[in-house]
Amino acid sequence: MQNYQRHDRSSDREANQMVFGIRAVIEAIDSGKEIESLFIQRGLGGSLVLELKALLKEHDLGFQQVPIEKLNRITRKNHQGVIAVISPITYQKIEDIVPEIYEKGEVPLFLMLDGVTDVRNFGAIARTAECSGVHAIIVPKKGSAEINPDAIKTSAGALYKIPVCRHEGLAKIGKFLIESGIQLVVSTEKTKDSIYDVDYTVPNCIIMGAEDTGVSDDLIRIADHLAKIPMFGEIGSLNVSVSAGVVLYEAIRQRVK
């Protein structure tokens, strides 16, 4: 029997579901559950653990090796050294979404988040993206904010409505978008060009990076446009969720016009 545990929250929908126990986690993966994060006790061995790790490799799923003390803090149940957190959403594939948008006769507008790890920033960005009509948000499998109750709450439920696509290697996805007739616009300070110089009426994917590291060089190299938000104050930078809103609504301004 699978072991499930929910945190006490005002809404079951806004609570992460945990699966603990090696066999239960294997069954969850086999049944197609979306794994948001996975913790395995450091030094844990045995045939079942090997089976689990082989399954993780097959499904290209990452995990964290942690001391048993961390697992015991997460749950007092018999976790057997393995705890998985099930995602509250179902991730989608951008390769499936792009043709659907074109078939509807719509002009694609995507938002790619490269290294945005703060869950509240992610939630706020998702809320703005849903309000502005973004077709999907694209994130990396590693180095992205966990979609948890805080992210859901900050998004005001937008993460239940807007497709989120999680992929390995954003540069590869960027090349796919280019081949699909979608231009890549990187929001970065590493340019003299303004966000107001870009044509957003054509198929677009706007790329935002982490506030400290920005967008990766792999994406900058293949981008069609590098564009920055004009700054006039002394601080010279914006929160990434605010920056995303500024760029997205410039795109909407052009499209509505």
Side-chain angles (χ1 to χ4, degrees), residues 159-246:
L159 283 167
Y160 290 133
K161 300 178 182 298
I162 188 169
V164 179
C165 304
R166 187 169 64 172
H167 290 277
E168 186 75 41
L170 292 186
K172 180 180 178 181
I173 296 302
K175 291 175 182 177
F176 164 77
L177 293 175
I178 292 172
E179 292 168 359
S180 302
I182 298 166
Q183 73 174 4
L184 305 185
V185 180
V186 170
S187 177
T188 177
E189 294 300 306
K190 301 176 182 178
T191 180
K192 294 181 179 179
D193 297 330
S194 167
I195 61 168
Y196 304 117
D197 298 327
V198 178
D199 180 7
Y200 298 99
T201 63
V202 300
N204 264 278
C205 178
I206 296 167
I207 306 175
M208 310 295 300
E211 293 176 29
D212 53 348
T213 58
V215 176
S216 63
D217 290 338
D218 287 345
L219 285 168
I220 287 177
R221 277 193 289 267
I222 64 173
D224 297 285
H225 298 283
L226 304 182
K228 67 178 181 179
I229 299 172
M231 300 287 176
F232 303 101
E234 294 182 9
I235 296 176
S237 66
L238 294 172
N239 173 276
V240 65
S241 65
V242 175
S243 296
V246 170

Side-chain angles (χ1 to χ4, degrees), residues 34-36 87 89-93 139 145 147 164-166:
E34 294 278 5
I35 306 298
E36 188 66 38
S87 175
I89 70 167
T90 299
Y91 290 101
Q92 301 187 39
K93 293 184 178 180
V139 298
I147 297 182
V164 179
C165 304
R166 187 169 64 172

Side-chain angles (χ1 to χ4, degrees), residues 25-36:
V25 172
I26 289 174
E27 291 176 1
I29 296 170
D30 279 335
S31 67
K33 297 284 187 183
E34 294 278 5
I35 306 298
E36 188 66 38

